[in-house]
């Protein structure tokens, strides 16, 4: 006669929801690991279960030969830093800068060197730069950690002809 085996599930840091039910098997019986149930860990994605030795995806077959507690495993939802594209120097009256980020992210930026926040302007297209400017940008998306802040300085090089003629009035 095979002995009974207890299988239970731990949320692994989940902040809300319920793990799949624990259940009783007989030693040597196999079963498929369930999905996460209603477990939720903010800014993370459920990736599977760990028995303390190996990691398994939901739906994997597991052979129960001893009492086991499976702990939910989570991956951080992280965004990459935005990419700021602009000339490093320019000589015209102005230039354009573009900022791109991971799909689904909203880009917030500043042009005064301060760190951008959710309250900063949203980038919806090219930005016109008219002088030496430090551009900073951050990507933000629901259920993701904010990206690192990207920074890029655009330098206005040579004066325009009009500025040169009026240099003593500037």
């Amino acid at each position: 006669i095979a002995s009974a085996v207890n299988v239970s599930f731990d949320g692994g840091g989940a902040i809300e929801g319920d793990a799949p039910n624990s259940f009783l098997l007989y030693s040597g019986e196999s079963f498929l690991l369930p999905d996460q149930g209603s477990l939720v860990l903010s800014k993370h994605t459920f990736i599977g279960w760990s028995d303390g030795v190996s990691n398994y995806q939901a739906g994997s077959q597991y052979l129960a030969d001893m009492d086991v507690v499976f702990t939910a495993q989570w991956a951080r939802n992280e965004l990459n830093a935005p990419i700021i594209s602009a000339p490093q120097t320019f000589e015209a009256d102005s230039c354009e800068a573009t900022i791109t980020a991971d799909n689904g992210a909203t880009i917030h930026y500043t042009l005064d060197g301060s760190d951008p926040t959710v309250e900063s302007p949203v980038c919806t297209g090219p930005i016109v730069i008219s002088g030496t400017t430090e551009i900073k940008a951050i990507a933000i998306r629901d259920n993701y950690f904010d990206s690192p802040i990207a920074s890029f300085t655009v330098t206005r090089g040579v004066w325009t002809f009009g500025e040169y003629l009026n240099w003593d009035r500037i």
Side-chain angles (χ1 to χ4, degrees):
I1 291 181
S3 59
V5 174
N6 290 305
V7 177
S8 58
F9 297 88
D10 172 58
I15 57 171
E16 60 185 69
D18 297 314
N21 293 328
S22 60
F23 50 93
L24 184 66
L25 295 172
Y26 291 98
S27 180
E29 285 188 339
S30 64
F31 65 97
L32 295 180
L33 288 165
D35 66 13
Q36 73 207 53
S38 61
L39 293 174
V40 175
L41 180 57
S42 178
K43 299 183 181 184
H44 290 76
T45 298
F46 173 77
I47 57 172
W49 298 99
S50 174
D51 61 5
V53 176
S54 300
N55 294 320
Y56 306 90
Q57 293 182 342
S60 297
Q61 189 167 345
Y62 188 86
L63 185 64
D65 57 1
M66 62 182 169
D67 291 352
V68 62
V69 175
F70 287 98
T71 303
Q73 301 295 296
W74 305 93
R76 288 174 55 96
N77 295 338
E78 297 191 61
L79 295 167
N80 292 308
I83 297 171
I84 302 170
S85 300
Q88 199 162 14
T89 61
F90 69 98
E91 296 178 6
D93 290 337
S94 64
C95 72
E96 286 188 347
T98 58
I99 307 172
T100 56
D102 293 337
N103 271 347
T106 301
I107 303 166
H108 294 270
Y109 71 96
T110 60
L111 300 177
D112 62 2
S114 64
D115 288 346
T117 67
V118 70
E119 303 298 323
S120 301
V122 173
C123 181
T124 58
I127 301 165
V128 176
I129 306 296
S130 58
T132 297
T133 303
E134 182 179 9
I135 306 165
K136 287 190 174 185
I138 191 168
I140 297 174
R141 182 176 174 184
D142 285 345
N143 202 34
Y144 279 73
F145 289 94
D146 295 349
S147 76
I149 295 173
S151 178
F152 188 86
T153 299
V154 178
T155 303
R156 182 153 180 239
V158 178
W159 287 1
T160 64
F161 185 68
E163 289 171 329
Y164 182 74
L165 291 176
N166 295 307
W167 70 272
D168 62 341
R169 294 186 212 154
I170 295 177

mmCIF file of all heavy atoms in Angstrom, residues 84-86 90 95-99 107-117 120-123 125-138 149-154:
data_model
loop_
_atom_site.group_PDB
_atom_site.id
_atom_site.type_symbol
_atom_site.label_atom_id
_atom_site.label_comp_id
_atom_site.label_asym_id
_atom_site.label_seq_id
_atom_site.Cartn_x
_atom_site.Cartn_y
_atom_site.Cartn_z
ATOM 1 N N ILE A 84 16.827 58.082 -26.307
ATOM 2 C CA ILE A 84 16.704 59.470 -26.782
ATOM 3 C C ILE A 84 17.600 59.610 -28.002
ATOM 4 O O ILE A 84 18.805 59.354 -27.927
ATOM 5 C CB ILE A 84 17.134 60.473 -25.683
ATOM 6 C CG1 ILE A 84 16.283 60.264 -24.425
ATOM 7 C CG2 ILE A 84 17.032 61.900 -26.202
ATOM 8 C CD1 ILE A 84 16.774 61.025 -23.206
ATOM 9 N N SER A 85 17.002 60.006 -29.114
ATOM 10 C CA SER A 85 17.746 60.179 -30.366
ATOM 11 C C SER A 85 17.724 61.649 -30.757
ATOM 12 O O SER A 85 16.653 62.225 -30.974
ATOM 13 C CB SER A 85 17.130 59.338 -31.481
ATOM 14 O OG SER A 85 17.148 57.979 -31.141
ATOM 15 N N ALA A 86 18.904 62.231 -30.842
ATOM 16 C CA ALA A 86 19.050 63.639 -31.221
ATOM 17 C C ALA A 86 20.514 63.855 -31.571
ATOM 18 O O ALA A 86 21.380 63.088 -31.155
ATOM 19 C CB ALA A 86 18.649 64.564 -30.068
ATOM 20 N N PHE A 90 24.245 70.878 -32.601
ATOM 21 C CA PHE A 90 23.578 71.395 -33.798
ATOM 22 C C PHE A 90 23.900 72.870 -33.938
ATOM 23 O O PHE A 90 24.238 73.536 -32.970
ATOM 24 C CB PHE A 90 22.060 71.147 -33.752
ATOM 25 C CG PHE A 90 21.322 71.944 -32.713
ATOM 26 C CD1 PHE A 90 20.669 73.116 -33.048
ATOM 27 C CD2 PHE A 90 21.288 71.523 -31.387
ATOM 28 C CE1 PHE A 90 19.970 73.842 -32.084
ATOM 29 C CE2 PHE A 90 20.610 72.244 -30.421
ATOM 30 C CZ PHE A 90 19.949 73.409 -30.770
ATOM 31 N N CYS A 95 16.627 71.878 -33.453
ATOM 32 C CA CYS A 95 16.734 70.495 -33.940
ATOM 33 C C CYS A 95 15.615 69.695 -33.296
ATOM 34 O O CYS A 95 14.903 70.187 -32.413
ATOM 35 C CB CYS A 95 18.104 69.900 -33.626
ATOM 36 S SG CYS A 95 18.388 69.527 -31.892
ATOM 37 N N GLU A 96 15.450 68.459 -33.723
ATOM 38 C CA GLU A 96 14.425 67.596 -33.146
ATOM 39 C C GLU A 96 15.062 66.433 -32.388
ATOM 40 O O GLU A 96 16.096 65.910 -32.792
ATOM 41 C CB GLU A 96 13.506 67.030 -34.232
ATOM 42 C CG GLU A 96 12.548 68.046 -34.792
ATOM 43 C CD GLU A 96 11.525 67.420 -35.732
ATOM 44 O OE1 GLU A 96 11.692 66.250 -36.137
ATOM 45 O OE2 GLU A 96 10.549 68.117 -36.038
ATOM 46 N N ALA A 97 14.400 66.061 -31.320
ATOM 47 C CA ALA A 97 14.782 64.877 -30.548
ATOM 48 C C ALA A 97 13.588 63.935 -30.534
ATOM 49 O O ALA A 97 12.444 64.377 -30.455
ATOM 50 C CB ALA A 97 15.155 65.266 -29.122
ATOM 51 N N THR A 98 13.847 62.647 -30.643
ATOM 52 C CA THR A 98 12.787 61.645 -30.517
ATOM 53 C C THR A 98 13.125 60.744 -29.336
ATOM 54 O O THR A 98 14.293 60.519 -29.015
ATOM 55 C CB THR A 98 12.626 60.797 -31.795
ATOM 56 O OG1 THR A 98 13.867 60.152 -32.078
ATOM 57 C CG2 THR A 98 12.210 61.649 -32.972
ATOM 58 N N ILE A 99 12.083 60.263 -28.698
ATOM 59 C CA ILE A 99 12.254 59.377 -27.553
ATOM 60 C C ILE A 99 11.384 58.147 -27.786
ATOM 61 O O ILE A 99 10.193 58.278 -28.077
ATOM 62 C CB ILE A 99 11.852 60.061 -26.227
ATOM 63 C CG1 ILE A 99 12.579 61.405 -26.064
ATOM 64 C CG2 ILE A 99 12.148 59.146 -25.042
ATOM 65 C CD1 ILE A 99 12.088 62.231 -24.873
ATOM 66 N N ILE A 107 5.880 57.618 -22.149
ATOM 67 C CA ILE A 107 7.152 58.297 -21.917
ATOM 68 C C ILE A 107 6.881 59.680 -21.347
ATOM 69 O O ILE A 107 6.135 60.467 -21.929
ATOM 70 C CB ILE A 107 7.948 58.440 -23.228
ATOM 71 C CG1 ILE A 107 8.183 57.067 -23.857
ATOM 72 C CG2 ILE A 107 9.261 59.177 -22.985
ATOM 73 C CD1 ILE A 107 8.661 57.139 -25.295
ATOM 74 N N HIS A 108 7.480 59.974 -20.206
ATOM 75 C CA HIS A 108 7.425 61.321 -19.606
ATOM 76 C C HIS A 108 8.828 61.900 -19.700
ATOM 77 O O HIS A 108 9.814 61.179 -19.531
ATOM 78 C CB HIS A 108 6.971 61.243 -18.150
ATOM 79 C CG HIS A 108 5.558 60.782 -17.987
ATOM 80 N ND1 HIS A 108 4.497 61.658 -17.967
ATOM 81 C CD2 HIS A 108 5.035 59.530 -17.858
ATOM 82 C CE1 HIS A 108 3.368 60.972 -17.822
ATOM 83 N NE2 HIS A 108 3.675 59.679 -17.753
ATOM 84 N N TYR A 109 8.911 63.214 -19.963
ATOM 85 C CA TYR A 109 10.230 63.819 -20.164
ATOM 86 C C TYR A 109 10.304 65.215 -19.550
ATOM 87 O O TYR A 109 9.290 65.840 -19.251
ATOM 88 C CB TYR A 109 10.558 63.902 -21.662
ATOM 89 C CG TYR A 109 9.743 64.930 -22.408
ATOM 90 C CD1 TYR A 109 10.246 66.212 -22.647
ATOM 91 C CD2 TYR A 109 8.460 64.642 -22.865
ATOM 92 C CE1 TYR A 109 9.504 67.170 -23.316
ATOM 93 C CE2 TYR A 109 7.721 65.580 -23.541
ATOM 94 C CZ TYR A 109 8.235 66.842 -23.763
ATOM 95 O OH TYR A 109 7.486 67.795 -24.423
ATOM 96 N N THR A 110 11.545 65.669 -19.366
ATOM 97 C CA THR A 110 11.807 67.052 -18.957
ATOM 98 C C THR A 110 12.921 67.592 -19.847
ATOM 99 O O THR A 110 13.708 66.837 -20.407
ATOM 100 C CB THR A 110 12.258 67.138 -17.481
ATOM 101 O OG1 THR A 110 13.450 66.378 -17.305
ATOM 102 C CG2 THR A 110 11.173 66.652 -16.534
ATOM 103 N N LEU A 111 12.965 68.908 -19.957
ATOM 104 C CA LEU A 111 13.990 69.577 -20.760
ATOM 105 C C LEU A 111 14.849 70.517 -19.916
ATOM 106 O O LEU A 111 15.679 71.247 -20.453
ATOM 107 C CB LEU A 111 13.341 70.364 -21.906
ATOM 108 C CG LEU A 111 12.510 69.551 -22.902
ATOM 109 C CD1 LEU A 111 11.862 70.462 -23.933
ATOM 110 C CD2 LEU A 111 13.351 68.483 -23.563
ATOM 111 N N ASP A 112 14.662 70.480 -18.605
ATOM 112 C CA ASP A 112 15.406 71.393 -17.729
ATOM 113 C C ASP A 112 16.425 70.666 -16.850
ATOM 114 O O ASP A 112 16.971 71.239 -15.918
ATOM 115 C CB ASP A 112 14.431 72.181 -16.863
ATOM 116 C CG ASP A 112 13.596 71.309 -15.940
ATOM 117 O OD1 ASP A 112 13.786 70.069 -15.929
ATOM 118 O OD2 ASP A 112 12.721 71.862 -15.234
ATOM 119 N N GLY A 113 16.654 69.378 -17.132
ATOM 120 C CA GLY A 113 17.623 68.616 -16.354
ATOM 121 C C GLY A 113 17.052 67.969 -15.109
ATOM 122 O O GLY A 113 17.735 67.177 -14.462
ATOM 123 N N SER A 114 15.791 68.295 -14.761
ATOM 124 C CA SER A 114 15.188 67.663 -13.581
ATOM 125 C C SER A 114 14.731 66.249 -13.943
ATOM 126 O O SER A 114 14.515 65.921 -15.112
ATOM 127 C CB SER A 114 14.014 68.498 -13.068
ATOM 128 O OG SER A 114 12.980 68.541 -14.041
ATOM 129 N N ASP A 115 14.590 65.409 -12.921
ATOM 130 C CA ASP A 115 14.143 64.038 -13.156
ATOM 131 C C ASP A 115 12.650 64.027 -13.503
ATOM 132 O O ASP A 115 11.843 64.650 -12.804
ATOM 133 C CB ASP A 115 14.386 63.168 -11.929
ATOM 134 C CG ASP A 115 15.856 62.856 -11.722
ATOM 135 O OD1 ASP A 115 16.659 63.087 -12.658
ATOM 136 O OD2 ASP A 115 16.210 62.368 -10.628
ATOM 137 N N PRO A 116 12.272 63.307 -14.554
ATOM 138 C CA PRO A 116 10.856 63.248 -14.933
ATOM 139 C C PRO A 116 10.056 62.361 -13.981
ATOM 140 O O PRO A 116 10.591 61.425 -13.376
ATOM 141 C CB PRO A 116 10.890 62.646 -16.338
ATOM 142 C CG PRO A 116 12.162 61.876 -16.398
ATOM 143 C CD PRO A 116 13.128 62.584 -15.487
ATOM 144 N N THR A 117 8.772 62.676 -13.858
ATOM 145 C CA THR A 117 7.830 61.904 -13.047
ATOM 146 C C THR A 117 6.561 61.711 -13.871
ATOM 147 O O THR A 117 6.460 62.198 -15.000
ATOM 148 C CB THR A 117 7.463 62.644 -11.749
ATOM 149 O OG1 THR A 117 6.717 63.820 -12.090
ATOM 150 C CG2 THR A 117 8.701 63.022 -10.949
ATOM 151 N N SER A 120 5.245 64.893 -15.325
ATOM 152 C CA SER A 120 5.982 65.562 -16.410
ATOM 153 C C SER A 120 5.237 65.391 -17.730
ATOM 154 O O SER A 120 4.396 64.491 -17.869
ATOM 155 C CB SER A 120 7.385 64.965 -16.530
ATOM 156 O OG SER A 120 8.088 65.106 -15.317
ATOM 157 N N PRO A 121 5.547 66.242 -18.726
ATOM 158 C CA PRO A 121 4.874 66.124 -20.020
ATOM 159 C C PRO A 121 5.050 64.733 -20.626
ATOM 160 O O PRO A 121 6.062 64.062 -20.411
ATOM 161 C CB PRO A 121 5.576 67.172 -20.887
ATOM 162 C CG PRO A 121 6.216 68.115 -19.930
ATOM 163 C CD PRO A 121 6.530 67.321 -18.702
ATOM 164 N N VAL A 122 4.035 64.321 -21.411
ATOM 165 C CA VAL A 122 4.071 63.039 -22.108
ATOM 166 C C VAL A 122 4.618 63.266 -23.507
ATOM 167 O O VAL A 122 4.202 64.197 -24.208
ATOM 168 C CB VAL A 122 2.656 62.422 -22.185
ATOM 169 C CG1 VAL A 122 2.654 61.163 -23.048
ATOM 170 C CG2 VAL A 122 2.137 62.108 -20.786
ATOM 171 N N CYS A 123 5.533 62.423 -23.907
ATOM 172 C CA CYS A 123 6.122 62.506 -25.248
ATOM 173 C C CYS A 123 5.179 61.835 -26.235
ATOM 174 O O CYS A 123 4.882 60.650 -26.110
ATOM 175 C CB CYS A 123 7.487 61.831 -25.265
ATOM 176 S SG CYS A 123 8.288 61.914 -26.862
ATOM 177 N N GLY A 125 5.534 62.699 -29.755
ATOM 178 C CA GLY A 125 6.175 62.854 -31.059
ATOM 179 C C GLY A 125 7.505 63.554 -30.889
ATOM 180 O O GLY A 125 7.992 63.721 -29.764
ATOM 181 N N PRO A 126 8.114 63.987 -31.999
ATOM 182 C CA PRO A 126 9.406 64.678 -31.890
ATOM 183 C C PRO A 126 9.299 65.940 -31.033
ATOM 184 O O PRO A 126 8.274 66.613 -31.000
ATOM 185 C CB PRO A 126 9.733 65.042 -33.336
ATOM 186 C CG PRO A 126 8.934 64.082 -34.158
ATOM 187 C CD PRO A 126 7.680 63.820 -33.375
ATOM 188 N N ILE A 127 10.388 66.239 -30.340
ATOM 189 C CA ILE A 127 10.470 67.422 -29.477
ATOM 190 C C ILE A 127 11.437 68.399 -30.129
ATOM 191 O O ILE A 127 12.537 68.013 -30.530
ATOM 192 C CB ILE A 127 10.985 67.028 -28.079
ATOM 193 C CG1 ILE A 127 10.052 65.995 -27.440
ATOM 194 C CG2 ILE A 127 11.130 68.245 -27.183
ATOM 195 C CD1 ILE A 127 10.655 65.293 -26.243
ATOM 196 N N VAL A 128 11.030 69.652 -30.228
ATOM 197 C CA VAL A 128 11.881 70.677 -30.831
ATOM 198 C C VAL A 128 12.786 71.260 -29.747
ATOM 199 O O VAL A 128 12.324 71.709 -28.700
ATOM 200 C CB VAL A 128 11.047 71.790 -31.493
ATOM 201 C CG1 VAL A 128 11.942 72.898 -32.032
ATOM 202 C CG2 VAL A 128 10.178 71.200 -32.604
ATOM 203 N N ILE A 129 14.090 71.258 -30.030
ATOM 204 C CA ILE A 129 15.102 71.774 -29.114
ATOM 205 C C ILE A 129 15.697 73.024 -29.751
ATOM 206 O O ILE A 129 16.108 73.003 -30.906
ATOM 207 C CB ILE A 129 16.224 70.737 -28.887
ATOM 208 C CG1 ILE A 129 15.654 69.393 -28.429
ATOM 209 C CG2 ILE A 129 17.275 71.254 -27.932
ATOM 210 C CD1 ILE A 129 14.960 69.408 -27.103
ATOM 211 N N SER A 130 15.737 74.132 -29.003
ATOM 212 C CA SER A 130 16.223 75.380 -29.595
ATOM 213 C C SER A 130 17.517 75.890 -28.972
ATOM 214 O O SER A 130 18.027 76.922 -29.377
ATOM 215 C CB SER A 130 15.139 76.464 -29.497
ATOM 216 O OG SER A 130 14.786 76.660 -28.149
ATOM 217 N N GLY A 131 18.045 75.207 -28.012
ATOM 218 C CA GLY A 131 19.302 75.622 -27.392
ATOM 219 C C GLY A 131 19.902 74.430 -26.669
ATOM 220 O O GLY A 131 19.358 73.328 -26.696
ATOM 221 N N THR A 132 21.027 74.655 -26.010
ATOM 222 C CA THR A 132 21.641 73.576 -25.246
ATOM 223 C C THR A 132 20.638 73.101 -24.195
ATOM 224 O O THR A 132 20.106 73.905 -23.431
ATOM 225 C CB THR A 132 22.950 74.053 -24.597
ATOM 226 O OG1 THR A 132 23.862 74.404 -25.644
ATOM 227 C CG2 THR A 132 23.553 72.981 -23.716
ATOM 228 N N THR A 133 20.366 71.802 -24.215
ATOM 229 C CA THR A 133 19.287 71.243 -23.387
ATOM 230 C C THR A 133 19.659 69.865 -22.875
ATOM 231 O O THR A 133 20.164 69.032 -23.631
ATOM 232 C CB THR A 133 17.986 71.126 -24.223
ATOM 233 O OG1 THR A 133 17.641 72.401 -24.755
ATOM 234 C CG2 THR A 133 16.842 70.591 -23.394
ATOM 235 N N GLU A 134 19.380 69.628 -21.592
ATOM 236 C CA GLU A 134 19.497 68.273 -21.063
ATOM 237 C C GLU A 134 18.110 67.651 -21.081
ATOM 238 O O GLU A 134 17.197 68.105 -20.396
ATOM 239 C CB GLU A 134 20.057 68.257 -19.639
ATOM 240 C CG GLU A 134 20.227 66.832 -19.127
ATOM 241 C CD GLU A 134 20.807 66.746 -17.727
ATOM 242 O OE1 GLU A 134 20.932 67.780 -17.050
ATOM 243 O OE2 GLU A 134 21.122 65.618 -17.308
ATOM 244 N N ILE A 135 17.956 66.590 -21.876
ATOM 245 C CA ILE A 135 16.692 65.867 -21.991
ATOM 246 C C ILE A 135 16.761 64.666 -21.059
ATOM 247 O O ILE A 135 17.732 63.912 -21.077
ATOM 248 C CB ILE A 135 16.466 65.361 -23.431
ATOM 249 C CG1 ILE A 135 16.586 66.500 -24.439
ATOM 250 C CG2 ILE A 135 15.124 64.649 -23.550
ATOM 251 C CD1 ILE A 135 16.739 66.024 -25.879
ATOM 252 N N LYS A 136 15.723 64.490 -20.255
ATOM 253 C CA LYS A 136 15.621 63.300 -19.413
ATOM 254 C C LYS A 136 14.262 62.665 -19.672
ATOM 255 O O LYS A 136 13.270 63.370 -19.868
ATOM 256 C CB LYS A 136 15.771 63.644 -17.929
ATOM 257 C CG LYS A 136 17.195 63.990 -17.537
ATOM 258 C CD LYS A 136 17.323 64.071 -16.025
ATOM 259 C CE LYS A 136 18.766 64.265 -15.614
ATOM 260 N NZ LYS A 136 18.902 64.227 -14.144
ATOM 261 N N ALA A 137 14.225 61.328 -19.673
ATOM 262 C CA ALA A 137 12.982 60.624 -19.956
ATOM 263 C C ALA A 137 12.874 59.364 -19.105
ATOM 264 O O ALA A 137 13.874 58.752 -18.739
ATOM 265 C CB ALA A 137 12.914 60.260 -21.432
ATOM 266 N N ILE A 138 11.624 59.001 -18.814
ATOM 267 C CA ILE A 138 11.327 57.781 -18.075
ATOM 268 C C ILE A 138 10.130 57.107 -18.739
ATOM 269 O O ILE A 138 9.232 57.786 -19.243
ATOM 270 C CB ILE A 138 11.041 58.087 -16.584
ATOM 271 C CG1 ILE A 138 10.999 56.814 -15.756
ATOM 272 C CG2 ILE A 138 9.778 58.892 -16.403
ATOM 273 C CD1 ILE A 138 11.020 57.053 -14.249
ATOM 274 N N ILE A 149 15.948 56.241 -15.574
ATOM 275 C CA ILE A 149 15.870 57.521 -16.278
ATOM 276 C C ILE A 149 16.983 57.590 -17.316
ATOM 277 O O ILE A 149 18.143 57.304 -17.016
ATOM 278 C CB ILE A 149 15.974 58.696 -15.287
ATOM 279 C CG1 ILE A 149 14.757 58.699 -14.361
ATOM 280 C CG2 ILE A 149 16.112 60.026 -16.025
ATOM 281 C CD1 ILE A 149 14.834 59.707 -13.230
ATOM 282 N N ALA A 150 16.594 57.958 -18.538
ATOM 283 C CA ALA A 150 17.565 58.178 -19.612
ATOM 284 C C ALA A 150 17.885 59.668 -19.665
ATOM 285 O O ALA A 150 17.023 60.511 -19.406
ATOM 286 C CB ALA A 150 16.998 57.716 -20.947
ATOM 287 N N SER A 151 19.117 59.990 -19.992
ATOM 288 C CA SER A 151 19.535 61.388 -20.061
ATOM 289 C C SER A 151 20.405 61.595 -21.298
ATOM 290 O O SER A 151 21.220 60.733 -21.643
ATOM 291 C CB SER A 151 20.323 61.748 -18.797
ATOM 292 O OG SER A 151 20.778 63.078 -18.861
ATOM 293 N N PHE A 152 20.219 62.738 -21.946
ATOM 294 C CA PHE A 152 20.994 63.067 -23.136
ATOM 295 C C PHE A 152 21.085 64.590 -23.227
ATOM 296 O O PHE A 152 20.083 65.274 -23.061
ATOM 297 C CB PHE A 152 20.311 62.516 -24.391
ATOM 298 C CG PHE A 152 21.119 62.644 -25.650
ATOM 299 C CD1 PHE A 152 22.046 61.677 -25.994
ATOM 300 C CD2 PHE A 152 20.957 63.731 -26.495
ATOM 301 C CE1 PHE A 152 22.797 61.781 -27.157
ATOM 302 C CE2 PHE A 152 21.698 63.849 -27.648
ATOM 303 C CZ PHE A 152 22.619 62.869 -27.987
ATOM 304 N N THR A 153 22.277 65.107 -23.475
ATOM 305 C CA THR A 153 22.448 66.556 -23.603
ATOM 306 C C THR A 153 22.697 66.909 -25.055
ATOM 307 O O THR A 153 23.569 66.332 -25.714
ATOM 308 C CB THR A 153 23.618 67.054 -22.730
ATOM 309 O OG1 THR A 153 23.321 66.739 -21.362
ATOM 310 C CG2 THR A 153 23.814 68.554 -22.877
ATOM 311 N N VAL A 154 21.901 67.836 -25.538
ATOM 312 C CA VAL A 154 22.035 68.380 -26.889
ATOM 313 C C VAL A 154 22.668 69.759 -26.736
ATOM 314 O O VAL A 154 22.198 70.581 -25.948
ATOM 315 C CB VAL A 154 20.661 68.511 -27.581
ATOM 316 C CG1 VAL A 154 20.805 69.118 -28.957
ATOM 317 C CG2 VAL A 154 19.973 67.164 -27.642
#
